[in-house]
Amino acid sequence: QVQLVESGGGSVQAGGSLRLSCAASGVTYSRYCMAWFRQAPGKEREVVARINRGGFVAYADSLKGRFTISQDDGKNTVFLQMNSLKPEDTAIYYCAAGPVCSPSAQVYTSWGQGTQVTVSS
């Protein structure tokens, strides 16, 4: 059974930083794409960043330069470093695992419970 557990969310002022973590268990990590999505109130879930063991990394165009996805292979953990945060980054952030690194949420078969990120102006 795949389990993804996010941590690291919280409240921060605009311009601040947060680092999210996603610990994966029960998954053949090397075969999966790991991704971060986010969903703001009243909006659709959107992809933030994706990474796999083969070196593929991709970001939403609007977030390039501020967000960085990385992984600790030994600990089956994926991170999302978020810098220069803006109020519009406020959302629930979800970790997801899927067979391919697609930007579509429908491809991902396992999801974490989500962690709230709130950025105040």
Side-chain angles (χ1 to χ4, degrees):
Q1 181 179 358
V2 176
Q3 185 174 16
L4 305 175
V5 179
E6 303 103 332
S7 61
S11 297
V12 65
Q13 289 190 329
S17 298
L18 284 173
R19 188 192 196 205
L20 306 183
S21 299
C22 172
S25 61
V27 60
T28 306
Y29 187 67
S30 62
R31 299 179 183 178
Y32 275 74
C33 178
M34 303 298 294
W36 288 97
F37 284 78
R38 67 184 185 183
Q39 188 165 19
K43 295 188 177 181
E44 293 186 355
R45 192 169 296 191
E46 62 176 357
V47 67
V48 173
R50 299 163 278 153
I51 190 169
N52 68 13
R53 279 283 191 88
F56 173 87
V57 176
Y59 297 93
D61 288 341
S62 62
L63 301 176
K64 287 180 181 178
R66 295 196 299 122
F67 288 17
T68 302
I69 190 171
S70 60
Q71 57 191 359
D72 182 333
D73 295 344
K75 295 183 179 180
N76 280 6
T77 301
V78 177
F79 305 97
L80 184 69
Q81 178 68 43
M82 305 184 294
N83 298 328
S84 301
L85 284 163
K86 304 176 181 180
E88 51 262 44
D89 294 319
T90 295
I92 299 175
Y93 284 70
Y94 296 91
C95 177
V100 294
C101 272
S102 169
S104 172
Q106 295 179 345
V107 168
Y108 294 84
T109 53
S110 298
W111 292 83
Q113 80 286 356
T115 185
Q116 177 71 46
V117 171
T118 303
V119 184
S120 58
S121 57

